[in-house]
Amino acid sequence: MTEKLSEKEIEDFDVEQTDHYPVMPLRNTVLFPQQVIPIYIGRDRSLKLINDLGTDKRYIVVIAQEDGSIEDPSPNDLYSYGTLAQVLKVFDMPDNSKSAIVQGISRVKVLDYTSKEPYFTAAVESMNDEPIKDHLEIDGLIKNLRQAFEDLMKVAPNLTEEHSGMLKNIQKPNRLTDRAISVITISNQEKQDILEELNIKRRIEKALNIISREIQRIKLGDEIQSEVHDEITKTQREYYLREQMKAIKKELGEDEGTVELNELEDKIKAAQMPKESEKIALKELDRLSRIPTQSPEYNVSRTYIEWLTDLPWSISSEDRIDLKEAKKILDEDHYGLDKVKERIIEYLAVRNLK
């Protein structure tokens, strides 16, 4: 196992001691300087890279893929900025893959890929942070960053007091910002943007914006979840009460559905329909008895049966055809329409002859 570098050793590390480094693409991870993380190694190129590392000075450059879904990335699929890292320990996995613990050392920019087989190697340039011009302004921003992280920790389920305590022990603005962003669940693209930002003031401001947005997103999500839960609870309560009411009515012989079906059956019999019409009405009533009362189709079927029973099947009156009376009524109730009235009178006259 390679010894972990101290903060002082990382700051004094000279990238130019080596002309080129092996490059390991990472699917969904961005490594920051001084961060220690485990990485899964399963692709052929990455396995060959790890197997070729010696026992001393096990340095590699880890670079995030722009698209993590690409199985065999080319140099064009990788970001131009990455992190020089030291491989601390390698573990063999049961499926012939490997897992490694790596420690970030410094930001680097790829100048040129010097080899692509059996794995990528590249010449890199160390990218140092720009000097701080206004320390007082940076101190204020850092204070805001610490407070924002504390606020995020109260609502983010994946953050604990351990993360908060870890940040309290970090005093340098650049390292504090990197560590805060590294533990937040955000997209690789946003983390990469922080990695590539060499101006410490802008890096802190970007981190503040990300944390503030995450707080709002989580709070909004909790509010929506709470509203949905309340609505589900209300619906379940109403359903439970309805079922209880049904059971009570059924026990008393006052089941609402049964009472309504009986009433409709009595109306069908009282309507004195023709046998064919009554047969259709009873068939529809039988179908209605099998439809749940909460279903929209229940109301449609019931309305149809009620319409059938409301028709005047057995009610009739004698025709009284008085042409003079009919003309008088038409003239009193309708202004104009002379041709229409004339046709109506002609029709009644023909009926009168029959």
Side-chain angles (χ1 to χ4, degrees):
M1 179 176 176
T2 305
E3 287 189 11
K4 181 179 176 181
L5 296 178
S6 67
E7 184 176 344
K8 177 66 175 172
E9 289 173 324
I10 289 176
E11 290 178 353
D12 294 341
F13 192 91
D14 186 5
V15 175
E16 295 177 355
Q17 288 176 353
T18 307
D19 291 333
H20 57 269
Y21 292 93
V23 176
M24 179 176 291
L26 297 183
R27 285 181 187 271
N28 298 304
T29 305
V30 174
L31 177 67
F32 287 91
Q34 304 202 26
Q35 183 186 9
V36 178
I37 61 169
I39 58 173
Y40 173 78
I41 305 166
R43 293 183 282 195
D44 289 341
R45 288 180 189 271
S46 300
L47 288 170
K48 290 175 183 176
L49 187 158
I50 287 295
N51 291 333
D52 283 356
L53 288 178
T55 57
D56 188 31
K57 295 184 178 180
R58 305 169 75 181
Y59 300 122
I60 63 174
V61 172
V62 293
I63 303 178
Q65 295 179 202
E66 294 183 7
D67 182 357
S69 64
I70 298 176
E71 179 62 30
D72 187 18
S74 68
N76 291 332
D77 297 319
L78 307 180
Y79 288 105
S80 58
Y81 282 74
T83 303
L84 179 66
Q86 178 181 215
V87 179
L88 300 178
K89 190 171 180 62
V90 178
F91 304 92
D92 292 324
M93 306 299 286
D95 59 354
N96 295 325
S97 62
K98 294 181 184 293
S99 179
I101 306 296
V102 297
Q103 178 188 20
I105 296 175
S106 65
R107 287 170 165 82
V108 294
K109 181 180 181 181
V110 175
L111 300 177
D112 182 39
Y113 283 91
T114 57
S115 175
K116 295 182 181 179
E117 295 296 340
Y119 44 80
F120 299 144
T121 57
V124 299
E125 176 186 6
S126 178
M127 305 303 292
N128 298 318
D129 292 330
E130 297 175 6
I132 297 175
K133 296 180 180 180
D134 189 340
H135 287 272
L136 188 61
E137 184 181 22
I138 295 296
D139 290 342
L141 288 171
I142 285 297
K143 183 178 179 181
N144 291 340
L145 181 62
R146 290 185 188 277
Q147 183 59 52
F149 190 86
E150 288 290 330
D151 294 339
L152 177 63
M153 194 184 68
K154 294 175 183 177
V155 296
N158 63 310
L159 298 180
T160 64
E161 290 290 342
E162 182 181 352
H163 293 106
S164 177
M166 176 180 63
L167 291 185
K168 287 178 181 178
N169 296 326
I170 301 175
Q171 302 303 321
K172 293 186 177 180
N174 54 351
R175 188 182 167 205
L176 175 66
T177 308
D178 289 346
R179 184 57 60 89
I181 291 298
S182 69
V183 298
I184 300 174
T185 306
I186 55 176
S187 68
N188 268 13
Q189 186 176 355
E190 289 176 308
K191 287 187 177 183
Q192 183 69 28
D193 186 36
I194 294 294
L195 180 71
E196 295 182 9
E197 182 55 70
L198 302 179
N199 184 288
I200 297 177
K201 177 188 173 184
R202 287 199 295 269
R203 189 188 303 170
I204 298 172
E205 289 173 342
K206 288 180 179 180
L208 279 169
N209 289 333
I210 291 172
I211 293 174
S212 297
R213 188 205 63 210
E214 282 300 296
I215 292 173
Q216 294 300 319
R217 183 186 63 81
I218 294 171
K219 284 183 176 179
L220 181 59
D222 289 343
E223 289 176 7
I224 294 173
Q225 187 65 29
S226 178
E227 289 175 3
V228 170
H229 179 268
D230 290 345
E231 189 62 32
I232 292 174
T233 303
K234 180 182 176 182
T235 303
Q236 289 176 337
R237 180 173 177 274
E238 289 176 353
Y239 174 78
Y240 176 70
L241 291 174
R242 285 196 193 98
E243 291 301 312
Q244 276 193 323
M245 189 176 295
K246 282 183 183 179
I248 293 170
K249 286 185 175 181
K250 188 174 182 180
E251 191 68 26
L252 296 173
E254 299 175 357
D255 182 51
E256 184 178 345
T258 304
V259 171
E260 188 171 40
L261 291 172
N262 291 336
E263 289 178 353
L264 288 173
E265 186 176 6
D266 292 340
K267 284 185 176 181
I268 292 172
K269 292 178 179 178
Q272 298 180 7
M273 303 179 188
K275 287 185 179 181
E276 190 63 29
S277 299
E278 185 174 334
K279 182 180 177 182
I280 293 173
L282 290 173
K283 183 179 179 181
E284 186 67 22
L285 181 65
D286 180 63
R287 193 174 79 89
L288 179 67
S289 66
R290 295 191 297 272
I291 300 175
T293 55
Q294 295 88 357
S295 172
E297 192 177 354
Y298 182 89
N299 291 328
V300 174
S301 182
R302 185 188 63 188
T303 302
Y304 174 61
I305 295 172
E306 288 178 343
W307 175 78
L308 286 175
T309 59
D310 288 340
L311 291 175
W313 297 98
S314 57
I315 301 173
S316 62
S317 61
E318 293 184 3
D319 290 337
R320 184 171 62 88
I321 303 176
D322 187 332
L323 298 182
K324 290 183 179 180
E325 183 68 18
K327 189 175 185 309
K328 180 182 177 183
I329 293 172
L330 289 172
D331 289 337
E332 288 178 352
D333 294 346
H334 305 284
Y335 177 79
L337 303 175
D338 293 333
K339 289 186 178 181
V340 177
K341 294 175 186 177
E342 186 178 343
R343 291 298 303 273
I344 293 173
I345 296 299
E346 286 176 0
Y347 170 75
L348 292 175
V350 172
R351 284 287 306 275
N352 202 16
L353 291 175
K354 292 182 179 181

